[in-house]
Amino acid sequence: MVAFRSMSRFATLCYVASIGSLAAHAESPLRTRIVLAHYKEDVSWVSQYAGKANLDVTIYSKSDKIPEIAGAVTLPLANFGRESHTFLHHIVFNYDNLADWTVFSQATAPTWGYMIGDSSNGHMNDKVNFDDYVRPFPEGRDSFFVMNAATQFPKAAQLNRLGIVVQGLPDEGPEMCPKQGADGWTDWWFDANHPHLRRGDMLEFYHKFV
Protein backbone atom coordinates (compact mmCIF):
# COMPACT_ATOMS: atom_id res chain seq x y z
CA MET A 1 0.00 0.00 0.00
CA VAL A 2 1.28 3.42 -0.88
CA ALA A 3 -1.50 5.82 -0.14
CA PHE A 4 -4.94 5.72 1.39
CA ARG A 5 -7.89 8.02 1.81
CA SER A 6 -10.04 7.26 4.83
CA MET A 7 -13.77 7.15 4.20
CA SER A 8 -15.61 6.33 7.43
CA ARG A 9 -14.45 2.74 8.00
CA PHE A 10 -13.15 2.15 4.50
CA ALA A 11 -9.72 2.82 3.04
CA THR A 12 -9.03 2.94 -0.68
CA LEU A 13 -5.54 1.80 -1.59
CA CYS A 14 -2.99 2.21 -4.35
CA TYR A 15 0.44 0.63 -4.40
CA VAL A 16 2.36 3.34 -6.25
CA ALA A 17 1.68 7.07 -5.95
CA SER A 18 3.16 10.24 -7.38
CA ILE A 19 2.80 13.78 -6.02
CA GLY A 20 4.40 17.12 -6.71
CA SER A 21 4.12 20.90 -6.79
CA LEU A 22 4.44 22.44 -10.22
CA ALA A 23 3.84 26.05 -9.22
CA ALA A 24 6.87 26.23 -6.93
CA HIS A 25 9.35 25.26 -9.66
CA ALA A 26 7.72 26.36 -12.89
CA GLU A 27 10.79 28.23 -14.15
CA SER A 28 13.46 25.58 -13.56
CA PRO A 29 14.01 22.03 -14.88
CA LEU A 30 11.77 19.62 -13.01
CA ARG A 31 13.45 17.09 -10.76
CA THR A 32 11.89 13.72 -10.01
CA ARG A 33 12.75 11.38 -7.15
CA ILE A 34 11.74 7.72 -6.87
CA VAL A 35 11.39 6.60 -3.23
CA LEU A 36 11.34 2.85 -2.62
CA ALA A 37 10.34 1.07 0.58
CA HIS A 38 12.60 -2.00 0.70
CA TYR A 39 12.78 -5.09 2.88
CA LYS A 40 13.98 -8.20 1.02
CA GLU A 41 12.86 -7.45 -2.54
CA ASP A 42 15.13 -7.57 -5.58
CA VAL A 43 15.58 -3.93 -6.57
CA SER A 44 17.76 -4.48 -9.63
CA TRP A 45 14.85 -3.30 -11.81
CA VAL A 46 15.34 0.30 -10.60
CA SER A 47 18.78 0.45 -12.25
CA GLN A 48 17.08 1.61 -15.44
CA TYR A 49 16.10 4.82 -13.65
CA ALA A 50 19.12 5.46 -11.41
CA GLY A 51 21.51 8.03 -12.82
CA LYS A 52 19.15 9.50 -15.41
CA ALA A 53 19.17 13.26 -15.86
CA ASN A 54 16.89 15.09 -13.40
CA LEU A 55 15.91 11.77 -11.82
CA ASP A 56 17.07 10.61 -8.39
CA VAL A 57 16.45 7.27 -6.68
CA THR A 58 16.33 6.81 -2.90
CA ILE A 59 15.93 3.35 -1.40
CA TYR A 60 14.99 3.09 2.26
CA SER A 61 15.84 -0.42 3.43
CA LYS A 62 14.60 -2.19 6.56
CA SER A 63 16.64 -5.27 5.72
CA ASP A 64 19.80 -6.61 7.37
CA LYS A 65 21.29 -6.72 3.88
CA ILE A 66 21.27 -3.25 2.33
CA PRO A 67 21.04 -3.36 -1.49
CA GLU A 68 23.54 -1.50 -3.64
CA ILE A 69 22.39 0.07 -6.90
CA ALA A 70 24.75 2.26 -8.92
CA GLY A 71 23.43 5.80 -9.07
CA ALA A 72 20.93 5.31 -6.24
CA VAL A 73 21.09 6.43 -2.61
CA THR A 74 20.32 3.64 -0.12
CA LEU A 75 19.52 4.50 3.49
CA PRO A 76 18.84 2.09 6.38
CA LEU A 77 15.70 2.34 8.48
CA ALA A 78 14.66 0.43 11.58
CA ASN A 79 12.36 -2.46 10.69
CA PHE A 80 9.18 -0.95 12.03
CA GLY A 81 5.94 -0.16 10.29
CA ARG A 82 4.90 -0.65 6.71
CA GLU A 83 5.80 1.26 3.54
CA SER A 84 3.59 4.16 4.66
CA HIS A 85 5.98 4.65 7.59
CA THR A 86 8.88 4.79 5.11
CA PHE A 87 7.15 7.33 2.89
CA LEU A 88 6.15 9.54 5.82
CA HIS A 89 9.76 9.40 7.08
CA HIS A 90 10.96 10.69 3.72
CA ILE A 91 8.43 13.52 3.65
CA VAL A 92 9.10 14.66 7.22
CA PHE A 93 12.90 14.60 7.00
CA ASN A 94 12.99 16.19 3.54
CA TYR A 95 10.04 18.53 3.87
CA ASP A 96 11.94 21.66 2.82
CA ASN A 97 13.84 19.89 0.06
CA LEU A 98 11.33 17.61 -1.63
CA ALA A 99 11.70 16.94 -5.34
CA ASP A 100 9.31 18.64 -7.75
CA TRP A 101 7.74 15.23 -8.40
CA THR A 102 8.09 12.26 -6.03
CA VAL A 103 7.16 8.67 -6.81
CA PHE A 104 6.49 6.48 -3.75
CA SER A 105 6.55 2.73 -4.34
CA GLN A 106 7.07 -0.62 -2.72
CA ALA A 107 10.39 -2.12 -3.83
CA THR A 108 8.93 -5.13 -5.67
CA ALA A 109 9.34 -4.85 -9.44
CA PRO A 110 6.24 -2.97 -10.68
CA THR A 111 4.55 -5.56 -12.84
CA TRP A 112 0.89 -6.26 -13.49
CA GLY A 113 -1.39 -8.10 -11.13
CA TYR A 114 -2.21 -9.25 -7.66
CA MET A 115 -2.50 -12.75 -6.23
CA ILE A 116 -3.37 -13.34 -2.59
CA GLY A 117 -0.36 -14.39 -0.55
CA ASP A 118 2.23 -13.76 -3.26
CA SER A 119 4.76 -11.18 -2.04
CA SER A 120 6.22 -10.85 -5.53
CA ASN A 121 3.05 -9.20 -6.85
CA GLY A 122 3.80 -6.05 -8.81
CA HIS A 123 0.41 -4.51 -7.97
CA MET A 124 0.15 -2.60 -11.25
CA ASN A 125 -3.23 -2.07 -12.87
CA ASP A 126 -3.75 -3.29 -16.42
CA LYS A 127 -2.64 -0.76 -19.09
CA VAL A 128 -0.60 1.15 -16.49
CA ASN A 129 3.18 1.01 -16.15
CA PHE A 130 5.74 2.55 -13.83
CA ASP A 131 6.70 5.22 -16.36
CA ASP A 132 3.17 6.62 -16.00
CA TYR A 133 4.07 7.47 -12.41
CA VAL A 134 7.54 8.78 -13.21
CA ARG A 135 6.29 11.26 -15.82
CA PRO A 136 5.75 14.56 -13.94
CA PHE A 137 2.43 16.35 -13.84
CA PRO A 138 0.42 14.36 -16.40
CA GLU A 139 -2.07 16.69 -18.09
CA GLY A 140 -1.12 19.37 -15.55
CA ARG A 141 -2.25 17.35 -12.51
CA ASP A 142 -0.24 17.56 -9.29
CA SER A 143 -0.65 13.85 -8.47
CA PHE A 144 -1.10 10.46 -10.11
CA PHE A 145 -3.01 7.77 -8.25
CA VAL A 146 -4.60 4.55 -9.51
CA MET A 147 -6.82 3.05 -6.81
CA ASN A 148 -6.47 -0.73 -6.83
CA ALA A 149 -8.09 -1.99 -3.64
CA ALA A 150 -10.33 -1.13 -0.72
CA THR A 151 -10.48 -2.51 2.80
CA GLN A 152 -13.42 -2.51 5.20
CA PHE A 153 -12.71 -2.08 8.90
CA PRO A 154 -12.92 -3.75 11.34
CA LYS A 155 -14.12 -6.82 9.40
CA ALA A 156 -10.99 -6.87 7.19
CA ALA A 157 -13.09 -7.58 4.10
CA GLN A 158 -11.40 -6.43 0.91
CA LEU A 159 -12.12 -5.89 -2.75
CA ASN A 160 -9.90 -5.27 -5.76
CA ARG A 161 -10.09 -3.29 -8.95
CA LEU A 162 -10.82 -5.67 -11.81
CA GLY A 163 -7.83 -4.39 -13.78
CA ILE A 164 -5.42 -5.70 -11.17
CA VAL A 165 -6.77 -9.27 -11.39
CA VAL A 166 -7.92 -9.50 -15.03
CA GLN A 167 -6.06 -8.28 -18.11
CA GLY A 168 -7.52 -7.01 -21.36
CA LEU A 169 -10.69 -5.36 -20.06
CA PRO A 170 -11.69 -2.66 -22.57
CA ASP A 171 -12.49 0.08 -20.04
CA GLU A 172 -9.40 -0.27 -17.84
CA GLY A 173 -6.56 2.23 -17.86
CA PRO A 174 -4.71 4.88 -15.85
CA GLU A 175 -7.76 6.61 -14.38
CA MET A 176 -7.84 7.01 -10.60
CA CYS A 177 -11.05 4.96 -10.35
CA PRO A 178 -12.62 2.47 -12.79
CA LYS A 179 -14.71 3.98 -15.57
CA GLN A 180 -17.37 1.35 -14.84
CA GLY A 181 -17.92 2.66 -11.32
CA ALA A 182 -18.94 -0.07 -8.88
CA ASP A 183 -18.88 -2.62 -11.71
CA GLY A 184 -15.13 -2.10 -12.01
CA TRP A 185 -14.45 -3.84 -8.69
CA THR A 186 -14.52 -7.45 -7.49
CA ASP A 187 -16.93 -8.67 -4.84
CA TRP A 188 -15.88 -8.25 -1.24
CA TRP A 189 -13.67 -11.13 -0.06
CA PHE A 190 -12.13 -12.22 3.21
CA ASP A 191 -8.96 -14.23 3.85
CA ALA A 192 -8.31 -15.29 7.44
CA ASN A 193 -4.67 -15.99 6.52
CA HIS A 194 -4.02 -12.49 5.23
CA PRO A 195 -0.68 -11.20 6.66
CA HIS A 196 -2.45 -8.24 8.29
CA LEU A 197 -4.58 -10.65 10.34
CA ARG A 198 -1.74 -12.79 11.66
CA ARG A 199 -1.25 -10.38 14.55
CA GLY A 200 -4.94 -10.30 15.44
CA ASP A 201 -7.37 -7.54 14.60
CA MET A 202 -6.70 -5.76 11.29
CA LEU A 203 -7.65 -2.33 12.62
CA GLU A 204 -5.20 -2.84 15.48
CA PHE A 205 -2.52 -3.79 12.94
CA TYR A 206 -3.11 -0.61 10.96
CA HIS A 207 -3.03 1.61 14.06
CA LYS A 208 0.25 0.08 15.19
CA PHE A 209 2.16 -0.55 11.97
CA VAL A 210 0.64 1.57 9.20
Side-chain angles (χ1 to χ4, degrees):
M1 178 186 69
V2 170
F4 69 91
R5 299 185 300 169
S6 294
M7 304 183 299
S8 182
R9 293 197 174 190
F10 295 86
T12 53
L13 315 177
C14 56
Y15 295 91
V16 185
S18 303
I19 58 174
S21 176
L22 181 60
H25 303 279
E27 298 181 359
S28 59
L30 296 176
R31 191 154 199 94
T32 296
R33 182 177 297 276
I34 297 171
V35 175
L36 298 184
H38 173 262
Y39 181 48
K40 294 183 178 180
E41 302 90 345
D42 178 4
V43 293
S44 60
W45 64 270
V46 83
S47 297
Q48 62 187 299
Y49 298 99
K52 281 190 174 183
N54 299 317
L55 177 58
D56 301 310
V57 175
T58 299
I59 303 170
Y60 290 98
S61 180
K62 297 181 179 180
S63 174
D64 294 333
K65 186 176 181 180
I66 306 299
E68 296 183 6
I69 298 293
V73 175
T74 305
L75 302 171
L77 277 183
N79 186 16
F80 180 84
R82 295 276 299 184
E83 64 273 18
S84 50
H85 164 267
T86 299
F87 303 150
L88 183 60
H89 173 93
H90 177 82
I91 293 171
V92 169
F93 285 92
N94 296 277
Y95 191 78
D96 294 321
N97 192 35
L98 291 169
D100 304 311
W101 184 256
T102 304
V103 182
F104 296 98
S105 177
Q106 296 175 332
T108 302
T111 55
W112 171 80
Y114 171 75
M115 293 292 291
I116 299 173
D118 185 354
S119 61
S120 66
N121 288 311
H123 293 112
M124 298 295 288
N125 195 57
D126 192 22
K127 302 175 185 175
V128 179
N129 61 61
F130 196 71
D131 286 344
D132 293 325
Y133 293 90
V134 175
R135 180 167 58 92
F137 305 100
E139 301 177 356
R141 291 175 292 168
D142 61 3
S143 63
F144 183 75
F145 291 85
V146 179
M147 298 299 176
N148 289 328
T151 301
Q152 183 186 54
F153 298 104
K155 296 180 180 179
Q158 300 184 62
L159 55 73
N160 296 97
R161 186 172 178 150
L162 289 180
I164 203 174
V165 294
V166 179
Q167 285 184 295
L169 298 175
D171 292 328
E172 270 299 351
E175 294 77 19
M176 178 181 287
C177 297
K179 293 179 181 179
Q180 314 95 301
D183 291 335
W185 300 88
T186 66
D187 292 333
W188 288 99
W189 56 269
F190 175 81
D191 178 13
N193 294 316
H194 193 283
H196 293 181
L197 293 173
R198 293 174 186 169
R199 296 176 182 267
D201 180 79
M202 185 178 245
L203 192 58
E204 179 183 347
F205 176 93
Y206 268 67
H207 283 160
K208 186 173 182 179
F209 297 105
V210 179

